[in-house]
Amino acid sequence: MPISFEMSETTRLAQDYYRAMATDHLRPISRKYDTQEHDLPTEWVDWYWNHGRKGGPEDVGPSDGFIQVCVQTEELCWGDAGLYLRTPFAGLGGAAVGAAGTKEQKKRFLSVFHGDGGPAWGAMAITEPSAGSDSAAIQTTATRDGDDWILNGTKIFCTAGEGASQQEGGFVVAWATVDPTAGRGGIKAFVVPAGTPGMTLVGLENKLGIRASDTATLQFDDCRVPTANLLGSAEVKKRDAKASSGDKGFKGAMATFDASRPIVAAMAVGVGRAALDYVLEELDRQGVRIRYDAPPAELTALERDVMEMEAELQAARLLTWRAASMMNRGRPNSLEASMAKAKAGLAVTRITQKAVELLGPPGWSKKLLVEKWMRDAKINDIYEGTQQINQLIVARRILDYPSSMLR
Amino acid sequence: MIDFEPSDEQLLIIETVRQFAEQEIRPVARECDEDGKLSNSVLAQAHELGLVANGLPEEFGGGGERSALTGALIAEELAWGDLSQALAILSPGLIALPVAEFGSDAQKQATLPRYAREQFVPGGLALQEPHFGSDPFRPTARASRDGESYVLEGEKALVPWIEGDDQVLVFADEDGTPQGFLVSREAEGLVATPEQNLGLRALPTVQLALSGVRVPASARLGEAAGCDLRRIVAQGRVAMAAAGIGVARATFEVARDYAKEREAFGVKIAQKQAIAFKLADMAIEIDGARLLTWEAAWRLDQGEDALREATLAIQQVRRVAMDASDGSVQVFGGHGYIREYLPEMHLRNARGLTVLEATALL
Ligand SMILES: Cc1cc2nc3c(=O)[nH]c(=O)nc-3n(C[C@H](O)[C@H](O)[C@H](O)COP(=O)(O)OP(=O)(O)OC[C@H]3O[C@@H](n4cnc5c(N)ncnc54)[C@H](O)[C@@H]3O)c2cc1C
């Protein structure tokens, strides 16, 4: 098939469905849960669990596969990125199980999200007080005890960590080292079901933006999980040993980023579009037209700014879709996923900040949501690998350098 | 379905043109720039590949495969070889493609076959004007009807003027609407003055003065129907954007390779984040701008008015190509300033993208 920008009918229908969902169910409570920071947005959680996740358009032919997931994500985050992250779904933890888990593990941990029980959440806990970007430096330990592993350590900044650790059916995928002398080869991911003794919710963060999202500190004290909850093999690869194809430890965990970074990029695009849409609507109300056919010397500063915002947002979206479309084909996409994430995170950070600037007092005021979108947008430049970490990954790929040569 | 991967057929086109750019265009690029002239043998060989003729209707000897997207793929590869030569190679399209799309039957008959014959025939388009704020949609050049002819008055700039053609497509305002006119290069009242430019030095361009230039009424592009300048400009912007990506990619690659060779403070400079991140940004921006360009091209191929998309794409590419070539000079340090290395030429040529309007139509 040649290069094409034609969205499939199924994806278009899904886009309409999620846009309506965002308009009807997210936007109206957006400010409420930005203000009531740690409250559970029950109207959204219940509606989504009982109706939202079960609806959606029928397949009416070929879909755009993973691009469709990005499209849906963009629509929901256009509605509200914080509430999106608070939605009862498998989230990043689910992505990890999906990427590194066995068939049996996928069934055991993920079927709850299609079942008839109460709402559930999945989360992924990598970051620790002393290790963020350098995820290989984590200090949480996992010690073997017969058929079990015992986890000890502290995890911070765990998105959906409250729901995933407290609400039955949910789980936290926690990274821990089984051999601190082995570096990244010793790092494994363990699925810790909600309510497992020894896993405690210590607290929730107060944040700049995405306040509706529960960002948790989790403490693991002699927290015992069965071997059957280990994602990948228990075998420890020493630093320079070549990873075998069966190794789904650190590498497997890193592979979840190849799938999750396009999603995070799509989230970013959704927030950026919310702000840009508002600016365009306001200009329309003021009778201001953007002249795409005017010579550069005649463009106003405003026109230039708006055109740049539009181009940047679309470039970010297309890079995101490209990374996703490579997944449809089963192609390695870590370069493209990092490109999309780096671009989208920075682009929407700038777009939303510009939107506040262009709108002036109304943009700055809490009467509108634009200031909130500016706060929400910034997180996309930080989590799932900061701007710099994604630049680093891109740089290593294009230079063909191992991490030892560029760190 | 949305798809970003070229088909086998598109890949073959990319591969073929890339090879040509590597084997024929690149070896003479610096010489052409220094001497300020084109290589006739490169132009002839490029013509044999049928890069422009393939897009012309079959009934006039073309390949019947007009597509802005294919054109964009070709332009990127040619410009990756060298921007000056790429614009020259594609110049027949400046006349042939508007005529193929908007020309009357008689104009097609008279004009198109020459571009599909054995010999390379260049083309020239006079759209821009020498004054500040030149606006393709509001030319100050005027066309006034006088019986069975038009009289053209005004000035044009940056008109490609490659040896071997005898006509030029001039845009002028007729009662508030811009129209194109096929004008003989020998026409009375037409004076062409060669320009000396910062970049694209191998591409001859002229400033045109038209005073009382008389052409028959039948020389108006599309005759009674006229033409859609929005579409012509959108096509030009897409083509120019694609060419800009080619320059940006070329300069990125040169910088990347140099950074892996050059040492400072005991390591390759590419191992320094200040350099590595600059290269990463170039790669990201180039890919993003390329996708914008492809989308605009694809929309044109669907028959949409894609002026907005084309404009956003060219604006993005102008920035990306400038940043990349400036970044490339920076990666080379003092060596980047020296004409023995390519970045300084890339920088001069990339600047051209910010000045040229639709002078490369595909
Ligand atoms: C709201 C929120 C939600 C989050 N959700 C999760 C989650 O669900 N699960 C989870 O595990 N984590 C989560 N995180 C953590 C997030 O992924 C980390 O904060 C992020 O990876 C950065 O780590 P850090 O904060 O320790 O910063 P650091 O790693 O200390 O980085 C500080 C600065 O140094 C830069 N830097 C670091 N290393 C390099 C390098 N090699 N080269 C150049 N610059 C470098 C960084 O880019 C950054 O600018 C979340 C964070 C937030 C704020």
Side-chain angles (χ1 to χ4, degrees):
Chain A
M1 227 187 66
I3 296 160
S4 169
F5 292 81
E6 176 109 67
M7 192 180 272
S8 74
E9 184 61 11
T10 306
T11 303
R12 224 183 39 71
L13 290 172
Q15 186 177 39
D16 290 347
Y17 177 77
Y18 284 94
R19 186 171 301 174
M21 184 185 289
T23 306
D24 299 344
H25 296 277
L26 294 177
R27 283 283 175 97
I29 57 169
S30 210
R31 179 61 78 185
K32 177 176 174 190
Y33 290 101
D34 177 54
T35 311
Q36 300 173 23
E37 188 159 9
H38 293 150
D39 289 0
L40 183 69
T42 41
E43 54 272 66
W44 166 244
V45 169
D46 292 344
W47 182 84
Y48 181 82
W49 191 258
N50 295 322
H51 305 284
R53 76 183 165 129
K54 294 173 182 162
E58 307 263 306
D59 265 6
V60 291
S63 95
D64 291 305
F66 206 71
I67 292 178
Q68 183 168 320
V69 182
C70 293
V71 167
Q72 295 169 186
T73 306
E74 177 183 330
E75 294 308 322
L76 289 177
C77 290
W78 172 86
D80 189 298
L83 291 165
Y84 165 85
L85 289 167
R86 196 59 164 112
T87 308
F89 46 37
L92 276 185
V97 173
T102 62
K103 224 172 159 183
E104 183 276 327
Q105 287 172 325
K106 286 181 200 169
K107 183 157 177 273
R108 184 152 49 100
F109 297 120
L110 301 182
S111 47
V112 55
F113 294 97
H114 310 286
D116 294 328
W121 286 266
M124 175 123 104
I126 306 167
T127 308
E128 300 181 356
S130 60
S133 300
D134 185 6
S135 50
I138 56 170
Q139 289 167 5
T140 296
T141 55
T143 323
R144 185 94 193 222
D145 182 29
D147 270 348
D148 294 334
W149 290 91
I150 298 168
L151 305 184
N152 278 291
T154 303
K155 295 291 180 185
I156 60 169
F157 299 165
C158 179
T159 296
E162 181 183 34
S165 66
Q166 306 301 305
Q167 197 67 36
E168 200 189 317
F171 60 85
V172 176
V173 174
W175 288 27
T177 172
V178 298
D179 178 356
T181 66
R184 56 179 55 199
I187 293 174
K188 304 289 168 189
F190 300 86
V191 183
V192 187
T196 303
M199 173 166 68
T200 328
L201 174 69
V202 177
L204 296 172
E205 301 291 346
N206 297 313
K207 304 189 295 294
L208 171 70
I210 54 165
R211 292 185 181 164
S213 166
D214 47 326
T215 307
T217 301
L218 299 174
Q219 177 91 29
F220 295 89
D221 299 303
D222 290 333
C223 177
R224 187 177 282 268
V225 292
T227 297
N229 288 15
L230 168 65
L231 299 178
S233 83
E235 196 189 335
V236 173
K237 302 274 179 214
K238 287 297 179 185
R239 264 175 216 286
D240 42 15
K242 267 209 152 146
S244 73
S245 55
D247 176 28
K248 286 194 171 175
F250 191 77
K251 277 206 153 172
M254 292 312 270
T256 61
F257 289 122
D258 299 344
S260 61
R261 281 186 180 136
I263 301 284
V264 175
M267 292 170 55
V269 171
V271 182
R273 199 186 92 217
L276 180 56
D277 278 359
Y278 187 85
V279 169
L280 292 172
E281 284 162 21
E282 184 59 28
L283 290 178
D284 197 47
R285 279 190 287 272
Q286 304 295 330
V288 179
R289 297 272 172 283
I290 305 298
R291 296 167 300 157
Y292 298 96
D293 53 1
E298 272 188 27
L299 292 177
T300 63
L302 175 90
E303 283 174 313
R304 272 179 193 282
D305 281 343
V306 170
M307 283 174 165
E308 170 145 4
M309 289 157 91
E310 292 188 279
E312 288 284 300
L313 189 72
Q314 184 64 2
R317 180 184 287 123
L318 293 176
L319 285 170
T320 302
W321 289 358
R322 178 181 66 163
S325 85
M326 293 179 76
M327 294 187 57
N328 288 342
R329 291 171 183 267
R331 299 254 163 85
N333 74 336
S334 53
L335 169 65
E336 291 78 8
S338 279
M339 282 182 157
K341 165 64 173 66
K343 175 74 186 175
L346 189 57
V348 307
T349 295
R350 291 188 178 148
I351 287 168
T352 51
Q353 291 180 6
K354 195 69 176 176
V356 169
E357 179 194 321
L358 291 181
L359 291 165
W364 172 254
S365 160
K366 291 214 166 194
K367 280 190 196 139
L368 294 179
L369 289 168
V370 183
E371 63 80 26
K372 172 183 182 296
W373 294 326
M374 184 193 113
R375 289 183 285 110
D376 288 351
K378 183 61 196 170
I379 191 57
N380 296 293
D381 218 14
I382 298 173
Y383 62 13
E384 287 291 290
T386 60
Q387 174 68 219
Q388 291 77 7
I389 292 304
N390 282 293
Q391 281 175 312
L392 199 56
I393 294 169
V394 171
R396 282 177 192 149
R397 294 270 161 172
I398 59 177
L399 291 164
D400 199 17
Y401 276 174
S403 49
S404 59
M405 284 184 73
L406 185 64
R407 45 173 80 248
Chain B
M1 263 177 73
I2 300 168
D3 204 333
F4 301 95
E5 242 166 89
S7 63
D8 287 348
E9 202 182 321
Q10 289 171 327
L11 274 178
L12 184 69
I13 293 171
I14 294 172
E15 266 314 304
T16 308
V17 183
R18 183 176 303 174
Q19 235 179 48
F20 178 74
E22 174 134 46
Q23 290 167 4
E24 309 299 334
I25 295 180
R26 286 197 157 188
V28 300
R30 177 53 89 178
E31 200 182 309
C32 286
D33 180 70
E34 289 286 332
D35 298 350
K37 51 176 200 266
L38 296 160
S39 152
N40 286 331
S41 111
V42 169
L43 293 177
Q45 289 179 69
H47 181 66
E48 269 171 45
L49 289 177
L51 300 179
V52 172
N54 261 342
L56 300 180
E58 281 175 272
E59 53 207 293
F60 303 107
E65 296 187 1
R66 169 90 183 105
S67 151
L69 185 51
T70 309
L73 301 177
I74 293 171
E76 175 176 340
E77 296 310 319
L78 288 176
W80 172 82
D82 176 41
L83 185 58
S84 301
Q85 295 180 75
L87 296 179
I89 288 168
L90 296 171
S91 73
L94 294 174
I95 292 182
L97 295 173
V99 169
E101 197 162 351
F102 300 107
S104 64
D105 286 345
Q107 286 168 343
K108 288 184 196 170
Q109 289 288 0
T111 306
L112 296 185
R114 55 202 264 112
Y115 296 105
R117 285 197 205 110
E118 255 154 62
Q119 250 197 331
F120 173 79
V121 177
L125 174 71
L127 191 59
Q128 278 178 279
E129 303 189 337
H131 59 87
F132 175 76
S134 165
D135 181 349
F137 295 107
R138 275 174 294 165
T140 56
R142 300 255 167 269
S144 22
R145 186 77 187 235
D146 181 21
E148 279 313 293
S149 43
Y150 280 100
V151 179
L152 305 177
E153 300 277 349
E155 290 196 317
K156 294 285 166 181
L158 288 167
V159 182
W161 206 256
I162 303 159
E163 241 173 79
D165 197 10
D166 55 16
Q167 60 177 356
V168 55
L169 179 57
V170 178
F171 274 84
D173 178 274
E174 180 191 351
D175 301 330
T177 311
Q179 299 286 359
F181 297 88
L182 290 158
V183 181
S184 161
R185 285 198 190 183
E186 305 295 324
E188 211 171 310
L190 183 122
V191 180
T193 314
E195 295 168 329
Q196 288 288 338
N197 298 323
L198 167 71
L200 302 171
R201 290 171 33 89
L203 181 74
T205 63
V206 295
Q207 186 161 327
L208 276 190
L210 302 109
S211 43
V213 174
R214 192 169 281 273
V215 294
S218 61
R220 192 173 91 163
L221 181 61
E223 296 200 42
C227 67
D228 178 359
L229 182 59
R230 269 178 85 84
R231 190 162 171 85
I232 292 175
V233 168
Q235 287 168 340
R237 286 182 183 170
V238 164
M240 210 54 168
I245 303 286
V247 179
R249 196 180 98 216
T251 205
F252 158 72
E253 288 174 3
V254 167
R256 176 198 60 196
D257 295 349
Y258 185 79
K260 290 183 72 170
E261 288 296 319
R262 180 77 179 169
E263 285 188 16
F265 302 97
V267 294
K268 305 290 184 194
I269 57 170
Q271 290 178 263
K272 301 280 187 193
Q273 286 192 352
I275 299 288
F277 285 13
K278 195 186 271 297
L279 293 168
D281 285 342
M282 285 185 202
I284 294 168
E285 294 299 309
I286 288 169
D287 279 10
R290 179 188 296 113
L291 294 176
L292 283 179
T293 304
W294 282 1
E295 184 183 7
W298 181 85
R299 292 194 181 284
L300 282 171
D301 285 346
Q302 308 303 303
E304 294 177 27
D305 173 330
L307 184 67
R308 172 181 168 273
E309 287 78 3
T311 302
L312 294 181
I314 186 67
Q315 287 183 351
Q316 191 79 352
V317 167
R318 282 171 176 155
R319 179 180 64 72
V320 169
M322 277 312 288
D323 285 354
S325 52
D326 180 70
S328 178
V329 171
Q330 199 63 26
V331 167
F332 272 70
H335 296 81
Y337 206 71
I338 306 299
R339 292 229 292 279
E340 200 180 321
Y341 301 91
L342 286 169
E344 68 83 28
M345 185 169 91
H346 292 147
L347 180 61
R348 285 184 290 112
N349 285 346
R351 188 80 266 178
L353 296 165
T354 61
V355 177
L356 291 178
E357 183 51 75
T359 45
L361 289 177
L362 294 164

